Amino acid sequence: MKKIVLTMMAAMVAVVMDAQIYVGGAVGFQTVSHDGDSETAFTLKPEVGYNLNEDWAIGMAVGYGETGKDQTKVKTFIINPYVRYNAVKLDKVTLFLDGSFAYQSIDPKASYKTNEWGIGVKPGLAVALTNHLSFVSHLGFVGYESSKPDFDGAKATNTFGVAIDANSLDFGLYFNF
C-alpha cells in the first residue's frame, strides 16, 4: 500500500512539474463624459488554461462588466470556454486561433435582460515577454451569434459573419507556470 501511495504521489509531482497551466485575463476601465455628465465602465475577465502540447490548449474565461449609473446601469456576465490552436510560431511570437463558445447575460436596470451566445473562431497573437509572462491579444471574430431579450414573445437577432473592428479587440497578460 505504501508503494502505491508513493508511486501515485511521484506521478502527481511529475504531472505538476510538467504542467503547462496558464492564468491571466484582461481588465478594462474607462470613463465616458457626455456634456459634463460622466459614466464609468469596467470589465474583469480572468482566464485559466492548460497547454495540452505545443500546438493545442484548452481554457476558460469568466468575466463581469458594469457600465453606467443609476437608471442606465448595465451589468454583464460572460463565460467563454475555448480550444486554442497555435498556428504559427516565430521565436517569441505565436499566432493562434481560439475556437470558442461564448455565453453572455446582459442585465440593464431599465430594460429586459438579454441572453447572447456565439460560436466561432477568434484569431490572436501571443508575445512571450519572459519565460513565465506573455502579452496576449485577440482581434476579430468569425462565426455565429444570437441575441434574445428575456421576455415572452421576444424574437432573437442572429448574426453570421466576420467582425474585425475595435469592438473585437482585447489585450491581456498571462502567467505561465
Side-chain angles (χ1 to χ4, degrees):
M1 181 68 171
K2 195 186 249 187
K3 289 181 182 180
I4 293 173
V5 171
L6 287 174
T7 303
M8 288 176 56
M9 287 176 52
M12 291 172 123
V13 168
V15 167
V16 171
M17 295 287 286
D18 191 40
Q20 296 296 315
I21 296 171
Y22 57 90
V23 295
V27 176
F29 180 82
Q30 68 181 4
T31 299
V32 179
S33 181
H34 304 280
D35 294 327
D37 189 24
S38 65
E39 292 183 347
T40 305
F42 77 89
T43 57
L44 178 63
K45 194 172 174 186
E47 187 173 330
V48 63
Y50 181 80
N51 291 310
L52 300 170
N53 56 41
E54 282 191 27
D55 294 329
W56 293 94
I58 56 173
M60 169 81 77
V62 177
Y64 177 80
E66 198 171 288
T67 186
K69 61 182 180 179
D70 301 328
Q71 293 303 314
T72 64
K73 185 173 275 192
V74 177
K75 297 178 181 177
T76 305
F77 172 75
I78 303 161
I79 185 164
N80 181 208
Y82 62 87
V83 174
R84 176 168 295 165
Y85 174 67
N86 294 320
V88 178
K89 295 178 200 127
L90 306 167
D91 194 28
K92 295 186 180 279
V93 177
T94 303
L95 301 173
F96 61 84
L97 299 170
D98 282 353
S100 69
F101 173 83
Y103 170 77
Q104 185 167 276
S105 173
I106 303 167
D107 192 5
K109 188 171 187 178
S111 185
Y112 293 101
K113 180 178 169 183
T114 300
N115 295 303
E116 296 182 353
W117 67 272
I119 187 164
V121 176
K122 294 168 83 173
L125 170 81
V127 179
L129 303 174
T130 68
N131 287 340
H132 296 289
L133 190 63
S134 297
F135 169 80
V136 178
S137 176
H138 292 91
L139 174 62
F141 177 79
V142 177
Y144 175 81
E145 296 177 317
S146 181
S147 175
K148 184 178 178 187
D150 194 13
F151 64 88
D152 287 339
K155 303 242 185 245
T157 300
N158 301 302
T159 306
F160 179 78
V162 177
I164 300 176
D165 56 22
N167 291 330
S168 62
L169 175 65
D170 64 29
F171 301 101
L173 289 174
Y174 289 180
F175 183 80
N176 302 292
F177 289 93

